[in-house]
């Protein structure tokens, strides 16, 4: 076995992210401990223990190219939370994801500088597809939130 990777401090994601799969699902994960980020623009965003995430909502046929359980797990969880709650605009939620991905890339570049070009391409691909198709997930969450807000009876 090789040496363990060094731990490099994160300014946006100061706490570890611990997840478990949901009953053998290979797409849904449950957050095991309270998690948060401190976004430089949006501030603190909390994700409570028990929250379900699918990380990057990346369709299975693309997993060989972009893994949903990559170094972007933490930004993906925050992005899922922002889409679920919709306390911010979609553009703000997406920009928060981009800042988180850039920070994760910067940390990994310190560990493995030769990954720089790969990371930029991967991040750009995720960003492109998010901007093209993210509106559907945003609107689905908006509709679900409206249904929850309706008076029962």
């Amino acid at each position: 076995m090789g040496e363990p990777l060094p731990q490099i401090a994160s300014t946006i994601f100061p706490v570890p992210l611990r997840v478990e799969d949901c009953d053998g699902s290979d797409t849904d994960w449950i957050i095991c401990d309270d998690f948060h980020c401190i976004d430089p623009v949006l501030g603190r965003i909390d994700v409570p223990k028990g929250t379900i995430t699918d990380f990057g909502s990346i369709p299975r046929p693309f997993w060989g190219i972009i893994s949903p359980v990559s170094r972007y797990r933490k930004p993906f969880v925050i992005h899922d939370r922002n889409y679920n709650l919709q306390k911010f605009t979609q553009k703000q939620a997406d920009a928060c994801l981009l800042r988180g991905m850039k920070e994760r890339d910067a940390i990994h570049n310190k560990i493995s500088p030769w990954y720089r070009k790969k990371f930029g391409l991967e991040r750009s691909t995720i960003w492109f597809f998010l901007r093209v198709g993210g509106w559907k997930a945003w609107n689905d969450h908006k509709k679900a939130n409206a249904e929850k807000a309706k008076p029962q009876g």
Side-chain angles (χ1 to χ4, degrees):
M1 298 246 172
E3 283 184 45
L5 293 174
Q7 295 297 313
I8 298 175
S10 169
T11 56
I12 295 177
F13 305 103
V15 296
L17 173 64
R18 222 171 53 81
V19 298
E20 291 179 2
D21 68 334
C22 290
D23 297 323
S25 168
D26 59 355
T27 57
D28 291 330
W29 300 81
I30 188 164
I31 308 299
C32 296
D33 300 314
D34 289 342
F35 178 70
H36 71 273
C37 83
I38 302 170
D39 182 79
V41 175
L42 303 179
R44 183 177 169 129
I45 301 166
D46 292 302
V47 181
K49 174 183 176 178
T51 299
I52 305 293
T53 183
D54 66 355
F55 293 120
S57 304
I58 296 167
R60 185 182 296 277
F62 299 106
W63 285 6
I65 302 165
I66 299 172
S67 171
V69 291
S70 69
R71 70 193 166 284
Y72 297 137
R73 286 184 309 271
K74 291 179 178 184
F76 286 158
V77 167
I78 297 300
H79 189 255
D80 282 356
R81 185 70 173 164
N82 283 336
Y83 264 49
N84 284 327
L85 293 181
Q86 297 195 345
K87 287 175 36 180
F88 311 108
T89 67
Q90 180 184 5
K91 189 174 182 177
Q92 289 172 316
D94 292 350
C96 178
L97 172 68
L98 184 60
R99 284 188 294 275
M101 289 193 303
K102 285 180 177 179
E103 198 232 19
R104 301 307 295 163
D105 286 347
I107 287 171
H108 283 265
N109 285 341
K110 290 178 184 174
I111 297 168
S112 304
W114 60 276
Y115 271 121
R116 236 174 237 137
K117 287 183 183 171
K118 176 190 181 295
F119 286 170
L121 179 60
E122 187 175 21
R123 183 180 65 235
S124 297
T125 303
I126 292 168
W127 180 251
F128 172 78
F129 283 108
L130 174 66
R131 297 309 301 154
V132 168
W135 62 270
K136 181 176 180 344
W138 181 264
N139 289 337
D140 289 348
H141 285 292
K142 190 176 195 172
K143 184 177 176 182
N145 290 342
E147 288 294 321
K148 283 189 241 174
K150 281 185 182 176
Q152 299 297 323

